[in-house]
Amino acid sequence: MNEFDKVGLYEHNAESYKKVRDAFKENNVVGIVHATGTGKSYNALQLAYDNKDLKTVWVVPKNAIKEHILKTIE
């Protein structure tokens, strides 16, 4: 089991997640630019999972994304 198995990041998501995690060490705003449907929400979910002591706010353009995240958490 690797550190991303709980959320289920694909290899390209794990690579971008590591970059985001490192960027947050020096910045408080970080973004990921990937095509639609490539798993950016999973990166956000992994970030929340790894930082359970912090509050997470998701702003999404469609309720379907929110519903998908909630279903994944369950």
Side-chain angles (χ1 to χ4, degrees), residues 22-56:
D22 292 344
F24 267 124
K25 292 176 184 174
E26 296 186 21
N27 302 289
N28 63 358
V29 176
V30 176
I32 299 174
V33 180
H34 282 178
T36 301
T38 57
K40 294 177 296 292
S41 295
Y42 285 96
N43 280 47
L45 187 56
Q46 184 72 50
L47 192 63
Y49 183 78
D50 289 346
N51 294 279
K52 294 176 187 173
D53 58 322
L54 302 175
K55 291 188 180 199
T56 301

